[in-house]
Amino acid sequence: MEGIVEGDGSGAGRYTLRPTRISNEDILFCVDVGPESMVELKVAMSPNGRPSTRLDSIKQAILVFINAKLTINPENRFAFASLGKSASWLQKEFSSEVESAFAAFRVLSATSSSSNADLTSLFRVAAHEAKKSRVQNRLLRVILIYCRSSIRPHYQWPVNQKLFTLDVVYLHEKPGPDNYPQEVYNSLVDAVEHVSEYEGYTLETGQLLARILFCYMCMLLSHPQQRCPQDQLDMPKPLGKKLPAADSMTTDDSITVSGKSDVQNIRT
């Protein structure tokens, strides 16, 4: 949204937003189902007593997102896809019913191998759906949740074709001989900038903590037409115990949840 500054010539001004219509959203979730989506998280346990995986937490976080988004605006709609070597539909029809997510999750499972990640098919589907959304005065957004630490996604897409907005949540391993999350992250940032109609966010973490994923999904509740650039975000704040002023310090358990926490030199 663009703003204007009104002044009386004295140097003081009042900032106001230009009136504009905010479109209802069609949101396509695309979940990476490579083997790294089955990495177990720290501490977290699933309802059946086994350790919770990234994929378990992704499903839970999406449900939280959907319920919150429908509370904000019941006219928002959702569809679901998975990413193996390429993207494929899980639930093609956009729906405002939470049950549609449960239906998609029943057929969502990880694959045993992944040697490639082609986003071209995802972008083609998104562009096709975006045109249908525009006819209804709606806006299409893709939320990609990517989990591979050593496979850079690739795509072929025209530079001047920006019909939808792309957000990415990148859950990765720590850098190592077989992992290069910085390069993967850079590719994801390039993809967001290449295809997004409005401001798209790229959020990442190498910590195996479900709370960070949930925090990121809360950040993505923001409507693309109402966002500030990601570099201007000053949230979320570090999580830590509140200490008396005299003993104020960062606790060992505190973490900084941001798009820059685990992969160095990101977005600089």
Side-chain angles (χ1 to χ4, degrees):
M1 298 176 66
E2 295 182 356
I4 56 176
V5 177
E6 299 173 347
D8 56 8
S10 63
R14 181 169 61 92
Y15 184 85
T16 60
L17 292 174
R18 296 182 185 277
T20 184
R21 179 180 176 82
I22 302 301
S23 301
N24 297 328
E25 285 194 88
D26 289 334
I27 299 175
L28 170 58
F29 286 99
C30 184
V31 180
D32 185 359
V33 293
E36 289 173 87
S37 66
M38 294 304 294
V39 170
E40 294 180 358
L41 302 182
K42 294 179 180 178
V43 181
M45 300 290 288
S46 63
N48 60 13
R50 64 177 176 80
S52 183
T53 66
R54 278 180 179 153
L55 189 57
D56 293 328
S57 293
I58 288 169
K59 293 177 181 179
Q60 294 171 13
I62 290 175
L63 287 173
V64 170
F65 178 97
I66 290 174
N67 279 284
K69 200 69 175 173
L70 289 175
T71 300
I72 296 169
N73 181 359
E75 297 300 319
N76 290 320
R77 304 186 306 194
F78 310 91
F80 305 89
S82 63
L83 179 68
K85 291 183 178 180
S86 60
S88 57
W89 282 110
L90 294 171
Q91 182 81 23
K92 186 174 182 180
E93 297 300 323
F94 285 88
S95 172
S96 297
E97 299 296 326
V98 178
E99 178 56 37
S100 67
F102 286 104
F105 292 163
R106 282 193 284 268
V107 295
L108 178 62
S109 59
T111 60
S112 58
S113 63
S114 58
S115 58
N116 189 25
D118 188 352
L119 301 181
T120 306
S121 59
L122 174 62
F123 294 166
R124 286 175 179 166
V125 165
H128 176 72
E129 295 297 330
K131 293 176 182 177
K132 293 163 59 177
S133 297
R134 287 190 177 191
V135 173
Q136 305 172 59
N137 294 317
R138 304 177 67 90
L139 180 150
L140 187 113
R141 174 162 45 129
V142 176
I143 298 179
L144 170 64
I145 304 177
Y146 194 77
C147 302
R148 307 181 201 187
S149 301
S150 59
I151 299 177
R152 295 173 57 180
H154 62 90
Y155 55 89
Q156 295 181 343
W157 198 249
V159 176
N160 59 349
Q161 188 171 345
K162 298 188 176 185
L163 300 174
F164 57 92
T165 300
L166 174 64
D167 289 326
V168 176
V169 177
Y170 180 32
L171 311 176
H172 60 82
E173 302 297 318
K174 299 292 186 180
D178 299 322
N179 298 325
Y180 35 91
Q182 179 69 63
E183 288 79 2
V184 177
Y185 181 90
N186 291 345
S187 296
L188 292 169
V189 170
D190 289 343
V192 169
E193 294 177 349
H194 189 92
V195 305
S196 290
E197 178 182 14
Y198 295 98
E199 177 73 14
Y201 289 168
T202 313
L203 308 170
E204 63 79 31
T205 181
Q207 301 186 63
L208 298 174
L209 297 172
R211 67 187 182 191
I212 299 179
L213 171 60
F214 279 75
C215 183
Y216 285 167
M217 295 303 289
C218 289
M219 294 175 67
L220 295 183
L221 289 171
S222 61
H223 195 290
Q225 290 177 306
Q226 296 177 302
R227 290 179 174 178
C228 68
Q230 182 173 342
D231 290 338
Q232 296 179 14
L233 284 177
D234 188 26
M235 62 175 292
K237 300 292 187 181
L239 302 179
K241 297 178 180 179
K242 185 176 180 181
L243 300 177
D247 299 324
S248 179
M249 63 172 59
T250 302
T251 65
D252 292 338
D253 187 49
S254 67
I255 58 173
T256 299
V257 185
S258 73
K260 305 179 183 179
S261 57
D262 299 303
V263 179
Q264 300 300 313
N265 301 321
I266 289 173
R267 299 186 70 87
T268 57

